[in-house]
């Protein structure tokens, strides 16, 4: 079997993943939840396809990307490794970035779950394309913009990462209704990024309330995608079912994105 990365990188990814899984398990237990109820999504943006293949080899099943061009190329490269690395066939690809309509045809080809649906025009476009290109419905989350729903506690100098987009909580049910009416889409839940400078616990508590309102009408929409390297514990304490972890698993990224 051809090694895709150095033994040192493989060991680093395995150790990082074990540590992140420990964090998730500890946070889940502290919240009275089962560790298995929280899915780890490895956010592999800026890292090479070889890292994704290696992660698959060591048991990672869910991977996330935030830019279509990078994700499409990586998904193709990863899929090509299947004969020596059969685990890549079981990968689930999550699209967690802001989605433009001109990227929909591409994203629908490799994504298993799109986290960032935030406008009706995108619903229409995803539905039409999924109906044409897929033999089963595409799972989607509504991205919630918590900016105006949660007070800013401390001004932060850092640029926001992946936080653009989303609907205000008040607009969620209208968008959910559009998704529910789209035959090629399946509404699975909500996603959010804690606003910059906000207390993550406060943000994720608000998100939980938003999710409860959604589930009252759509009981199957139970996914809460929340929490990143810095705030996964707060997200899990407030009901996150999926955490999106980049830095703590793969290391620092050179550019802010
Ligand atoms: C990059 C990114 C993450 C992962 O962030 P880390 O802080 O590196 O764990 C999670 N969610 C989204 C939407 C992202 O763009």
């Amino acid at each position: 079997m051809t090694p895709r990365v150095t033994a040192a990188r493989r060991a680093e990814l395995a150790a990082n993943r074990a540590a992140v899984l420990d964090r998730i398990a500890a946070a889940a237990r502290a919240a009275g939840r089962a560790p298995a109820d929280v899915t780890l999504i490895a956010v592999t943006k800026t890292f090479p396809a070889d890292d994704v293949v290696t992660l698959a080899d060591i048991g990672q099943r869910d991977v996330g990307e935030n830019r279509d061009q990078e994700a499409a190329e990586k998904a193709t490269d990863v899929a090509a490794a299947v004969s020596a690395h059969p685990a890549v066939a079981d990968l689930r690809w999550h699209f967690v970035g802001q989605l433009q309509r001109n990227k929909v045809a591409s994203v629908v080809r490799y994504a298993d779950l799109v986290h960032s649906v935030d406008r009706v025009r995108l619903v229409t476009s995803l539905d039409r394309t999924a109906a044409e290109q897929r033999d089963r419905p595409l799972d989607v989350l509504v991205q919630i913009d918590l900016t105006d729903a949660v007070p800013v506690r401390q001004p932060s100098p850092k640029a926001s990462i992946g936080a653009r987009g989303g609907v205000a909580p008040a607009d969620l049910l209208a968008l959910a209704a559009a998704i529910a009416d789209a035959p090629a889409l399946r509404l699975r839940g909500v996603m959010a990024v804690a606003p910059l400078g906000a207390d993550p616990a406060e943000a994720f508590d608000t998100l939980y309330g938003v999710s409860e309102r959604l589930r009252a009408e759509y009981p199957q929409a139970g996914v809460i995608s929340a929490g990143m390297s810095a705030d996964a514990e707060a997200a899990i304490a407030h009901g996150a079912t999926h955490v999106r972890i980049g830095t703590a698993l793969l290391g620092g990224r050179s550019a802010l994105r």
Side-chain angles (χ1 to χ4, degrees):
M1 200 183 279
T2 330
R4 304 287 299 196
V5 301
T6 64
R9 178 60 169 161
R10 185 187 166 100
E12 179 185 24
L13 289 173
N16 288 350
R17 181 168 180 273
V20 168
L21 288 173
D22 279 350
R23 276 178 64 186
I24 292 172
R29 285 196 201 95
R33 304 178 58 201
D37 291 346
V38 183
T39 298
L40 167 61
I41 301 173
V43 179
T44 48
K45 64 189 182 193
T46 79
F47 291 94
D50 286 353
D51 278 347
V52 179
V53 172
T54 301
L55 282 168
D57 283 345
I58 63 183
Q60 180 59 31
R61 173 113 199 268
D62 293 87
V63 295
E65 289 282 334
N66 75 333
R67 292 195 183 178
D68 169 60
Q69 192 185 335
E70 179 185 345
E73 285 171 15
K74 213 177 285 182
T76 302
D77 291 350
V78 167
V82 70
S83 54
H85 303 271
V88 303
D90 295 326
L91 283 173
R92 287 175 44 87
W93 290 82
H94 297 254
F95 189 80
V96 304
Q98 212 182 19
L99 182 52
Q100 306 298 335
R101 274 197 305 162
N102 63 357
K103 306 294 191 189
V104 160
S106 174
V107 167
V108 159
R109 253 175 246 133
Y110 58 83
D112 294 294
L113 179 60
V114 173
H115 291 226
S116 46
V117 175
D118 63 359
R119 56 204 187 277
V120 170
R121 271 155 43 111
L122 199 50
V123 171
T124 312
S125 176
L126 280 166
D127 182 45
R128 193 187 326 115
T129 312
E132 284 164 10
Q133 295 193 6
R134 299 173 58 100
D135 45 20
R136 58 199 171 82
L138 175 67
D139 287 339
V140 302
L141 307 180
V142 174
Q143 183 177 348
I144 308 294
D145 179 3
L146 296 171
T147 312
D148 294 330
V150 184
V152 170
R153 298 290 180 202
Q154 54 193 24
S156 165
K158 262 178 48 186
S160 158
I161 298 177
R164 283 158 295 171
V167 289
D171 298 329
L172 166 64
L173 288 179
L175 191 57
I179 296 169
D181 281 346
L185 303 182
R186 247 186 351 178
L187 175 62
R188 299 299 312 280
V190 292
M191 176 273 227
V193 175
L196 222 56
D199 173 5
E202 217 168 342
F204 297 134
D205 186 43
T206 302
L207 181 64
Y208 189 80
V210 169
S211 161
E212 277 187 316
R213 267 181 275 144
L214 181 68
R215 280 177 284 147
E217 292 207 26
Y218 306 96
Q220 78 286 4
V223 170
I224 301 178
S225 166
M228 317 201 305
S229 293
D231 56 17
E233 281 82 1
I236 292 166
H238 292 90
T241 63
H242 291 65
V243 291
R244 308 177 308 267
I245 308 287
T247 312
L249 260 180
L250 290 123
R253 294 178 293 271
S254 38
L256 264 184
R257 50 180 282 192

